[in-house]
Amino acid sequence: SITNTPTSNDACLSIVHSLMCHRQGGESETFAKRAIESLVKKLKEKKDELDSLITAITTNGAHPSKCVTIQRTLDGRLQVAGRKGFPHVIYARLWRWPDLHKNELKHVKYCQFAFDLKCDSVCVNPYHYERVVSPGIDLSGLTLSSSGPSGLMVKDEYDYEGQPSLPSTEAHMQTIQHPPVRPVAQEPFNTPAMMPPAEGSSSASTSAFSSMAVGSTNASSTWTRNNNFTPSVSHHQNGHLQHHPPMAHPAHYWPVHNDIAFQPPLSNHPAPEYWCSIAYFEMDVQVGETFKVPSSCPIVTVDGYVDPSGGDRFCLGQLSNVHRTEAIERARLHIGKGVQLECKGEGDVWVRCLSDHAVFVQSYYLDREAGRAPGDAVHKIYPSAYIKVFDLRQCHRQMQQQAATAQAAAAAQAAAVAGNIPGPGSVGGIAPAISLSAAAGIGVDDLRRLCILRMSFVKGWGPDYPRQSIKETPCWIEIHLHRALQLLDEVLHTMPIADPTPLD
């Protein structure tokens, strides 16, 4: 009741308790409490804003409320209980939409400090944002559309196995959804046509990664990205979705599909004979031989049929495994038309899901696009979705940075052992972001992982599913990208790093 509603003059504890009563239950109680405590403490000196927050939350937005602001951090994200996220998204999930995806928020017109406005302060009033559920969001940042599947649930595998999915409360990993973009005229898959000219703005970014803004056929949508990433090197503000009339920005035209064509190759070495090799696994066992895709076949299909494999088609249906269980057999039946992998330019990779069921992808490129640490998310790609999952230039920069970091850290460690204590700037200026031992612990295997994609058919893994690792899924593939591995060889020749000795 209104009489029990606290005000900014009450003790923090009673305000937190009252606000906790209105949470939506998507997060653990511990996380919710820490997030709310942190916010209330920050607002204790701004009584009018704290009162606005209390009014907004306790009346479920029934009364108009002012902006509720906190200081914007360097990378735009807020850390709560060891997890980083965008502040407006964290609080919108807590009090309004527990299943909210970070790209689904649009601020209301009267919000003066909305996250997208890039002010020094960020408004975290959940009732100053609206949820835009209808657009099919393609996190490759290349297309947006005004209609698509709404209300998609993370867990919609072909059958519920009777096992409750593990709560994602304190877990760091997250399933990020990539629904198909609709409506689009279904062009033949093999036409590398240019996207429509983009209506968007390209913000300057000091990041090593090029900044890009790409619009779509929907004139009222603009995708703007300011890149962030590699936690061990630097932080930049993450990308976000904006909805503005197209004239709000000067137009920049980006030829999306073949922008690589205008860039010189990263290496003078001739392209490898095979652009990728694909290994098929059931649980933690490889089944059949590794399938190599010749560079003359830039598009390869991996499906569940029993035709002989060869050239541009890898058929998983004809592979036998004496240890195959009934659950694996059942999952294999649902691979169906599977996926198409397409190599573009010097070595970028796109995926189209042809199956009637989603595929789940581990992709460092998509992690970065979603503002996550590498390996920190599982990406659910819905049927008919077409999405970029690997960027060769980004991968090359990342391997160069990590190799340089590891080399510098190893040298600094050696100096420390010899009694020459290194100064704070000794590890290429990365000392505050990554510990010396962690940097020195980067080995060749860590760099090789940058050149590998993993993809599970039908079944997901991570905190939203009963399986915690891809090796617990019934049928999955590992894709080794040969051009990237070729570049890694070159990087390691110029910057050799010693493999760390195992701890055990």
Side-chain angles (χ1 to χ4, degrees):
S1 69
I2 299 296
T3 51
N4 293 335
T5 303
T7 69
S8 56
N9 294 318
D10 286 298
C12 280
L13 205 62
S14 58
I15 298 172
V16 170
H17 177 75
S18 173
L19 296 177
M20 280 286 283
C21 295
H22 292 269
R23 67 193 180 93
Q24 293 299 305
E27 297 285 3
S28 71
E29 189 172 346
T30 313
F31 179 86
K33 194 171 181 188
R34 285 206 205 163
I36 295 170
E37 278 174 350
S38 161
L39 181 57
V40 170
K41 282 175 186 169
K42 284 175 183 159
L43 297 173
K44 225 18 188 152
E45 302 305 312
K46 299 190 277 188
K47 291 188 181 299
D48 56 333
E49 292 190 23
L50 183 50
D51 281 323
S52 271
L53 175 72
I54 294 166
T55 302
I57 303 307
T58 55
T59 65
N60 295 327
H63 297 299
S65 50
K66 289 192 272 188
C67 284
V68 176
T69 62
I70 60 172
Q71 188 71 27
R72 182 187 287 275
T73 59
L74 278 176
D75 69 344
R77 295 185 296 169
L78 179 71
Q79 183 154 329
V80 177
R83 286 165 51 189
K84 274 198 161 192
F86 296 114
H88 63 312
V89 176
I90 288 174
Y91 293 108
R93 275 184 192 146
L94 271 184
W95 284 309
R96 294 193 72 182
W97 307 287
D99 60 342
L100 178 74
H101 184 281
K102 74 179 181 66
N103 287 327
E104 292 177 340
L105 284 183
K106 177 180 139 185
H107 65 269
V108 295
K109 285 177 185 169
Y110 52 82
C111 182
Q112 296 175 296
F113 296 95
F115 182 84
D116 293 354
L117 301 179
K118 298 191 183 145
C119 306
D120 288 341
S121 296
V122 179
C123 177
V124 294
N125 184 337
Y127 292 94
H128 276 205
Y129 294 89
E130 292 167 352
R131 188 175 189 182
V132 188
V133 185
S134 55
I137 296 171
D138 178 342
L139 272 191
S140 64
L142 292 177
T143 47
L144 288 176
S145 77
S146 55
S147 65
S150 60
L152 288 163
M153 295 297 290
V154 170
K155 184 157 177 47
D156 64 347
E157 296 173 311
Y158 69 86
D159 64 346
Y160 293 91
E161 298 159 315
Q163 291 170 277
S165 62
L166 300 180
S168 56
T169 52
E170 295 293 335
H172 289 267
M173 191 177 271
Q174 177 189 344
T175 306
I176 294 174
Q177 302 180 56
H178 303 260
V181 175
R182 296 174 191 163
V184 284
Q186 196 71 348
E187 292 180 28
F189 180 73
N190 56 2
T191 54
M194 303 225 318
M195 292 288 288
E199 286 151 352
S201 70
S202 172
S203 317
S205 169
T206 52
S207 162
F209 307 111
S210 59
S211 217
M212 184 162 80
V214 179
S216 71
T217 49
N218 173 10
S220 67
S221 297
T222 307
W223 175 272
T224 307
R225 177 179 309 129
N226 236 9
N227 290 305
N228 82 316
F229 210 31
T230 327
S232 59
V233 181
S234 60
H235 290 292
H236 294 276
Q237 186 160 322
N238 194 67
H240 46 270
L241 206 61
Q242 290 181 312
H243 293 268
H244 289 305
M247 296 312 290
H249 303 289
H252 292 276
Y253 297 91
W254 293 83
V256 179
H257 273 64
N258 47 1
D259 55 348
I260 299 297
F262 301 108
Q263 297 173 316
L266 290 167
S267 166
N268 295 324
H269 275 81
E273 185 183 355
Y274 300 97
W275 71 265
C276 77
S277 51
I278 306 169
Y280 168 65
F281 292 82
E282 291 176 359
M283 308 296 273
D284 58 352
V285 175
Q286 183 174 346
V287 176
E289 292 183 13
T290 299
F291 182 80
K292 292 184 176 179
V293 184
S295 293
S296 57
C297 300
I299 298 172
V300 61
T301 305
V302 183
D303 60 40
Y305 300 125
V306 295
D307 303 312
S309 297
D312 63 353
R313 190 169 171 208
F314 185 19
C315 296
L316 307 177
Q318 41 91 23
L319 298 175
S320 58
N321 173 13
V322 292
H323 302 295
R324 187 171 291 152
T325 63
E326 194 183 328
I328 294 173
E329 198 66 76
R330 207 164 59 242
R332 279 167 53 83
L333 292 174
H334 291 83
I335 296 172
K337 293 179 182 176
V339 294
Q340 270 180 328
L341 305 170
E342 181 176 6
C343 181
K344 291 191 179 187
E346 194 179 349
D348 291 0
V349 180
W350 289 65
V351 166
R352 186 184 294 268
C353 179
L354 302 176
S355 172
D356 292 335
H357 299 277
V359 292
F360 298 81
V361 178
Q362 188 178 63
S363 153
Y364 288 170
Y365 169 75
L366 287 179
D367 291 343
R368 185 179 75 84
E369 296 301 286
R372 309 287 298 202
D376 203 19
V378 179
H379 300 269
K380 181 173 186 177
I381 300 181
Y382 283 81
S384 305
Y386 177 51
I387 190 166
K388 185 177 183 179
V389 292
F390 181 81
D391 185 291
L392 187 70
R393 286 177 184 270
Q394 180 221 311
C395 175
H396 186 235
R397 276 187 290 265
Q398 219 170 323
M399 61 176 74
Q400 283 178 318
Q401 287 167 346
Q402 287 196 16
T405 298
Q407 201 180 34
Q413 243 186 1
V417 170
N420 307 321
I421 305 301
S426 61
V427 193
I430 55 90
I434 184 170
S435 75
L436 208 58
S437 58
I442 297 171
V444 176
D445 282 350
D446 297 294
L447 296 178
R448 280 180 63 84
R449 276 188 206 107
L450 300 174
C451 314
I452 294 171
L453 294 167
R454 285 174 157 187
M455 186 182 302
S456 167
F457 294 97
V458 186
K459 295 288 186 182
W461 78 96
D464 299 304
Y465 300 93
R467 297 159 294 277
Q468 293 311 291
S469 148
I470 195 169
K471 291 183 178 180
E472 294 170 39
T473 62
C475 37
W476 58 281
I477 53 175
E478 185 170 87
I479 304 144
H480 290 242
L481 303 170
H482 293 188
R483 185 60 167 178
L485 289 164
Q486 207 178 36
L487 294 177
L488 177 58
D489 265 357
E490 289 183 24
V491 168
L492 292 174
H493 274 104
T494 55
M495 286 185 280
I497 62 174
D499 253 329
T501 47
L503 294 173
D504 47 0

